Amino acid sequence: MIADFEPGQDRIVLRAIDAVADEPGHQGFTLDQDGSFSAGEIRLREVKAGLLVELNVDDDARPEMTILVRGGGTLTVDDFVL
C-alpha cells in the first residue's frame, strides 16, 4: 500500500520488475489502453479504498501484483518509472 501519493509529484518505480516473464531479457511495463490487460501491462482500477495498480506479467489477464494507492486521485504514465 502507498499512502498519501501526490500525482505529478511522487512516482511509483517499477523498472526493476520484468514485465513479461515468458520473454528473455528485461521488458518494461506499459499502461493498459484497450482493456485487454495483456502481459506487460498495468491496469488502474478505482476501488472504495483508493486506486489499485495491477501488474500482469503473463498471458492470463489476472494481476500477479497489486498495489493499493490511497489518497492519490487519477494516475497517468508520468506517475510511474517504467
Side-chain angles (χ1 to χ4, degrees):
M1 179 183 71
I2 299 173
D4 300 324
F5 187 85
E6 301 259 350
Q9 210 169 29
D10 296 322
R11 297 180 82 190
I12 300 171
V13 180
L14 300 173
R15 75 170 148 219
I17 302 170
D18 187 6
V20 184
D22 294 339
E23 290 185 18
H26 183 87
Q27 294 78 37
F29 283 98
T30 59
L31 287 180
D32 181 15
Q33 300 293 320
D34 63 4
S36 65
F37 196 43
S38 302
E41 291 188 329
I42 298 169
R43 175 171 62 193
L44 304 176
R45 195 162 56 93
E46 290 186 35
V47 295
K48 187 175 181 179
L51 183 71
L52 288 180
V53 178
E54 299 177 322
L55 288 69
N56 186 4
V57 300
D58 59 24
D59 292 325
D60 66 6
R62 291 189 313 252
E64 279 66 56
M65 180 177 180
T66 302
I67 303 166
L68 174 62
V69 180
R70 299 187 79 176
T74 303
L75 301 181
T76 69
V77 70
D78 295 328
D79 295 309
F80 296 91
V81 178
L82 305 173

